[in-house]
Amino acid sequence: MADDPARGRAPALRTRLLAALLAPLLGIAILLGLAGATLIADTVRRTNDRVLGGALGAIAETVQVERGEVTMDLSPAAFGMLENSERDNVYYRIAVGDRLLTGYADLSAPSAAELTLDTPRFRYARYRDQDIRIAEVRRALPRIAEPVIVQVAETLDGRRALRNRLLRALLLGEVSLIGVAMLLIRPALSWSLRPLSRLRDAVAARDTRATPDLSRLDAGPLPTELRPLADAFDHLLARLDTATAGMRRFTADASHQMRTPLTVLKVQVALARRGDPAALDEIADAADRLEHLVTQLLALARAEEAGVAPPSERVDLREVAVAVINRRIAQAIGASVELHLDAPERIAIDSHRTLIFEILSNLIDNGIRYNRPGGQVTIAVSRDDGGVSVIVADDGPGLSDTDVAKAGHRFARLSTSHGTEGTGLGLAIARSGAQRIGATLSLVNTRPGLRVVLHFGSPN
């Protein structure tokens, strides 16, 4: 089946899940990378500062006072501590006050007030067009009034090389982690989506069968997330099965019930062709019965229509009763039956006017059709403690207890209906319509007569 362009094209579910999993993973990897880079830079700085501080301490220990003069004995081992594969340049400076004792005179020198006694300080500086790290300390020697400033500095090539190696290792680890995660996530997604594939196959299998299969899906055990979807689909299939069964039943009933009047029509047409004048009256009578049957069948189909409840509207029950009486008045006159309305007040409810009209029309039709000449049919609209009731009562022969149990079934022909033209659909239409609008329909055998009560809940 071709794609519906109105629906648009959404990414595949597998792609959406993969993106939903990898996006947070990439975000976490970036955050870990930034945190790792910061930690690496701090670790490299601390490690190299410790070595630089050790060399500073070793050099500072050699500064002594002999015979009132400041002397020193620079050990090669002190500078050997700073050797590395990148061959960083090492600079030093030892001064007593403002007087240079040894080292590089142009090395950036601090003032004595900036330094804390015997506490090394580390700082970055620029020297000979290179970035350097300086470690410096102030010492006080006995019998020497001026402070001694000892400085050791090195270039940063070794630090940068070590930091870059660690950053590359971190980056390689993160890339490997994401790559392995991608390789593992795809089969994991396939395994996770397998129940959805089973559900899809179960639905697709229905399309290959000759007759529609509207039974429940058999997709095996389903995860909690898919069970509501399967249940909703099963509910839809059940509703479709009900609607389809109703259509099949309607077709069967219509074909069965229409067969008799059509047969009569064919016979009477044949008689009319032979010149029988009474055949025309029989043809007209059969056509009327056929029209009544078709009307009843359509009303039953509307009353049993599957789907959502009809939209509510404000319905004046007295106005509907008057409209139904006006529709049935000619029928009542023809049957010598009087129609009475007992509705002293206007009562409005939220319901469906068309279905209420059909229900009352069929109830009054039954009251007229199965009544006696000179009988009465009374339509009463009243309030009660439980809500609102519309009562259709006649004073005809009524029903036996057996007939009361059968009343309301489709095409049911009751014992009191023999000799009366009818379809057996009136009460079935009324009962189905009442169920659809949330009302109740009950029959009370008054002997003689029958009272049918259509009851609604409390009006709003």
Side-chain angles (χ1 to χ4, degrees):
M1 183 174 61
D3 292 336
D4 186 356
R7 294 185 178 182
R9 185 179 296 275
L13 183 59
R14 190 188 306 272
T15 303
R16 292 167 64 93
L17 289 174
L18 188 62
L21 291 173
L22 288 181
L25 184 61
L26 289 174
I28 293 174
I30 292 174
L31 292 177
L32 289 178
L34 294 176
T38 303
L39 181 61
I40 286 173
D42 184 69
T43 301
V44 169
R45 179 184 61 79
R46 288 176 178 274
T47 302
N48 284 271
D49 281 354
R50 189 175 295 112
V51 176
L52 186 61
L56 175 67
I59 294 175
E61 289 297 328
T62 64
V63 180
Q64 303 292 333
V65 178
E66 294 183 3
R67 299 176 184 177
E69 294 291 334
V70 178
T71 62
M72 60 176 299
D73 183 13
L74 291 178
S75 171
F79 293 100
M81 298 170 60
L82 302 176
E83 291 183 357
N84 54 47
S85 59
E86 280 69 29
R87 299 184 179 277
D88 278 317
N89 295 327
V90 178
Y91 308 101
Y92 68 95
R93 179 177 182 275
I94 303 174
V96 180
D98 294 331
R99 179 171 58 89
L100 178 66
L101 186 62
T102 183
Y104 294 82
D106 56 347
L107 187 63
S108 175
S111 64
E114 296 176 5
L115 301 177
T116 303
L117 185 66
D118 293 328
T119 301
R121 186 184 74 165
F122 299 88
R123 61 186 175 91
Y124 291 103
R126 188 78 177 168
Y127 182 64
R128 296 186 179 180
D129 296 328
Q130 291 182 310
D131 293 322
I132 61 172
R133 182 70 167 171
I134 301 176
E136 50 198 10
V137 66
R138 186 186 75 179
R139 295 194 63 194
L141 298 179
R143 299 185 300 278
I144 300 298
E146 295 179 307
V148 177
I149 306 298
V150 180
Q151 294 176 282
V152 179
E154 65 174 351
T155 54
L156 306 180
D157 294 340
R159 295 174 182 238
R160 291 169 178 160
L162 177 59
R163 183 190 61 195
N164 291 339
R165 285 196 300 270
L166 294 176
L167 288 176
R168 283 194 296 268
L170 175 63
L171 180 61
L172 179 61
E174 290 194 339
V175 171
S176 301
L177 177 63
I178 294 175
V180 172
M182 292 182 64
L183 293 176
L184 295 179
I185 285 176
R186 292 191 67 85
L189 286 178
S190 299
W191 174 80
S192 300
L193 295 176
R194 194 173 301 163
L196 188 60
S197 300
R198 290 202 311 268
L199 186 61
R200 178 200 60 199
D201 295 339
V203 175
R206 304 294 178 94
D207 196 32
T208 60
R209 301 176 184 177
T211 58
D213 184 2
L214 301 179
S215 60
R216 292 176 62 87
L217 290 175
D218 183 15
L222 293 176
T224 305
E225 294 79 7
L226 288 181
R227 175 50 56 190
L229 175 62
D231 291 342
F233 194 79
D234 286 338
H235 180 65
L236 178 62
L237 288 178
R239 291 176 58 185
L240 183 60
D241 188 32
T242 301
T244 304
M247 293 177 61
R248 290 195 300 265
R249 188 169 60 249
F250 175 82
T251 304
D253 292 341
S255 62
H256 174 74
Q257 294 297 319
M258 293 174 68
R259 187 178 298 131
T260 299
L262 287 175
T263 301
V264 172
L265 277 175
K266 290 173 64 176
V267 172
Q268 297 302 324
V269 167
L271 292 176
R273 286 175 176 172
R274 294 177 184 177
D276 187 351
L280 295 177
D281 294 334
E282 294 294 334
I283 291 174
D285 184 61
D288 289 341
R289 292 200 303 271
L290 184 60
E291 180 186 14
H292 179 66
L293 174 62
V294 171
T295 302
Q296 293 284 75
L297 287 171
L298 292 176
L300 181 62
R302 285 196 299 270
E304 293 186 346
E305 182 182 357
V308 298
S312 295
E313 56 184 316
R314 204 65 179 168
V315 179
D316 184 346
L317 294 178
R318 185 173 61 179
E319 181 270 330
V320 175
V322 170
V324 175
I325 290 174
N326 291 333
R327 178 178 179 180
R328 293 294 178 183
I329 191 66
Q331 179 188 1
I333 294 173
S336 299
V337 174
E338 294 184 6
L339 298 181
H340 294 276
L341 176 62
D342 182 9
E345 61 175 324
R346 176 183 178 273
I347 299 177
I349 62 172
D350 289 330
S351 189
H352 191 269
R353 187 186 187 282
T354 301
L355 285 179
I356 294 178
F357 185 93
E358 291 290 345
I359 293 170
L360 295 182
S361 179
N362 281 278
L363 293 179
I364 296 175
D365 174 68
N366 277 0
I368 297 172
R369 190 178 297 274
Y370 301 109
N371 210 325
R372 57 181 175 81
Q376 293 183 353
V377 176
T378 302
I379 303 94
V381 182
S382 62
R383 298 178 185 268
D384 52 44
D385 294 339
V388 175
S389 296
V390 180
I391 302 173
V392 179
D394 64 72
D395 55 0
L399 299 176
S400 66
D401 293 338
T402 303
D403 287 342
V404 170
K406 293 194 302 182
H409 295 284
R410 301 157 63 90
F411 303 108
R413 300 293 291 164
L414 309 180
S415 59
T416 57
S417 64
H418 294 305
T420 304
E421 295 295 338
T423 62
L425 290 173
L427 286 176
I429 294 170
R431 192 176 297 277
S432 296
Q435 290 176 352
R436 190 162 181 234
I437 60 177
T440 59
L441 190 74
S442 58
L443 279 65
V444 180
N445 201 348
T446 57
R447 293 181 182 174
L450 180 69
R451 185 172 63 182
V452 184
V453 181
L454 179 65
H455 182 78
F456 301 89
S458 300
N460 296 329

